[in-house]
Amino acid sequence: MYVRHVAEQLGYRASNVARELRTGKSWSIAMVISDITNPFHGEVVRGVESVLLDQGYHLFIANTDGSPKKQAHCVDLFERRQVDGMIVQSSNGSNEDVGSLVSSHMPTVLLISKLYGASDLDFAGIENTQSTRAALLHLWSLGHRRIGFIAGPKRASGAGERLTAYRDFMTEMQGAWDERMVDYGEYTIDSGRNAAARLLSRSQPTALMVSEDMMALGAMSATTEMGLQVPRDVSIIGWADIFAAALPQINLTTLHVPKRQLGEEAARLLARRLAEPEAEIETRLVKPQLIVRGTTGPNLRG
């Protein structure tokens, strides 16, 4: 106690380098995400950080802008820097760079997007199938039958799961699904606006389910630009429940994803893998809940 007291009086701080040499660890974790400007990811990062800080780790974050090339560079850089583990939101469905982490035995957790052929990695993600069905049932209960769907990038596993759920629902309810009622976006406002404009011009849906809130904001903008009103002419449902969705001017019906919990689950999976390298591979999913606001209403167009 006396030594600690004197050290505090002198302003002594323990050396991180000495700690690393003593433990054989860097006490650092890397997190690679596709778009740091998307509000969704900020809350996920907070969840990751809250768990890892309690474990004594430092968190480093890299943004890839959805570029597989940038992702490969970031993964390689962090691996050479000898971080203790990584949390990776993949930009692509079949990344050799992430696959290399398996062969190098780097403790790694995949976040949100799965990788084909990477069954040897822990995964923290979102339950997509039943959640999508709940949103579609809401639109169906309001009398909507011409329901358009704006899917996310074809390379994203979660976007694919939501699209499959849409196809299955429409087939169950109507005997078939119409390919003209589907378009794609890149989780940005502009891509949502463009996809909605194409759908509204091509297929005249009375409702749109959109795979992400930023795209849903774009869809709302396209609807207004085309002289239509939400929800009188077109009902819109988003996905994620970013902070802007609840603003009175937007009031977006959406699926609330517990984003901070998602980050916490990813961090706990990585902490478990660091403590127990031989533990069974595990998948943890958070479940979205439908939040009904002002952008959905009865079908008045028949």
Side-chain angles (χ1 to χ4, degrees):
M1 293 295 293
Y2 174 75
V3 172
R4 182 179 299 173
H5 175 73
V6 171
E8 290 174 354
Q9 291 289 319
L10 294 174
Y12 171 79
R13 293 184 178 182
S15 167
N16 286 332
V17 174
R19 182 189 184 206
E20 292 169 13
L21 289 172
R22 185 176 69 254
T23 62
K25 299 174 65 173
S26 69
W27 294 98
S28 58
I29 301 296
M31 186 172 181
V32 180
I33 57 179
S34 63
D35 183 5
I36 202 167
T37 65
N38 191 314
F40 179 96
H41 295 128
E43 293 189 52
V44 176
V45 170
R46 287 182 66 190
V48 170
E49 187 176 48
S50 66
V51 172
L52 293 179
L53 284 178
D54 286 344
Q55 301 270 345
Y57 289 95
H58 305 286
L59 181 64
F60 297 101
I61 301 171
N63 171 64
T64 69
D65 293 321
S67 164
K69 184 176 181 179
K70 280 189 73 173
Q71 178 179 296
H73 171 75
C74 292
V75 168
D76 179 65
L77 176 64
F78 284 131
E79 193 171 11
R80 286 189 284 110
R81 292 284 179 91
Q82 297 183 322
V83 297
D84 293 327
M86 291 195 207
I87 296 174
V88 180
Q89 184 212 345
S90 177
S91 304
N92 195 330
S94 56
N95 298 102
E96 294 181 2
D97 53 298
V98 178
S100 72
L101 299 177
V102 178
S103 58
S104 68
H105 305 289
M106 168 70 71
T108 303
V109 173
L110 293 179
L111 177 66
I112 303 173
S113 293
K114 297 176 183 176
L115 283 181
Y116 304 113
S119 58
D120 292 335
L121 296 176
D122 296 308
F123 176 68
I126 303 166
E127 193 290 311
N128 290 297
T129 302
Q130 293 304 316
S131 305
T132 300
R133 182 178 178 84
L136 293 168
L137 279 170
H138 172 63
L139 293 174
W140 195 269
S141 72
L142 293 171
H144 295 283
R145 300 297 181 263
R146 295 189 60 76
I147 303 172
F149 189 83
I150 301 179
K154 293 181 180 180
R155 64 184 179 273
S157 65
E161 290 173 359
R162 290 169 215 162
L163 177 57
T164 297
Y166 165 80
R167 290 171 173 171
D168 290 347
F169 178 87
M170 298 306 292
T171 300
E172 176 187 337
M173 293 300 194
Q174 296 184 326
W177 67 279
D178 187 347
E179 189 172 356
R180 295 172 302 172
M181 300 293 284
V182 176
D183 215 297
Y184 298 85
E186 286 288 333
Y187 296 155
T188 66
I189 291 176
D190 284 344
S191 69
R193 179 189 293 111
N194 294 335
R198 290 190 295 266
L199 272 177
L200 292 167
S201 299
R202 179 175 69 222
S203 309
Q204 293 81 50
T206 64
L208 293 174
M209 181 171 178
V210 189
S211 283
E212 196 265 351
D213 280 354
M214 298 289 279
M215 288 198 296
L217 298 181
M220 292 174 67
S221 178
T223 302
T224 301
E225 291 166 3
M226 297 178 75
L228 301 171
Q229 292 186 21
V230 179
R232 187 194 70 182
D233 300 310
V234 181
S235 286
I236 295 178
I237 290 183
W239 182 287
D241 197 22
I242 61 175
F243 72 90
L247 294 175
Q249 303 93 323
I250 298 173
N251 205 24
L252 177 66
T253 295
T254 186
L255 283 153
H256 172 78
V257 177
K259 297 169 279 296
R260 182 160 184 158
Q261 180 190 347
L262 176 59
E264 290 171 350
E265 293 294 353
R268 291 187 186 111
L269 278 173
L270 185 57
R272 171 178 171 268
R273 181 62 52 196
L274 289 165
E276 305 173 47
E278 304 304 320
E280 293 289 326
I281 300 299
E282 187 174 346
T283 292
R284 297 184 186 180
L285 303 179
V286 298
K287 187 172 182 179
Q289 290 186 327
L290 180 65
I291 306 296
V292 178
R293 297 194 180 103
T295 59
T296 52
N299 176 19
L300 302 177
R301 294 167 57 193

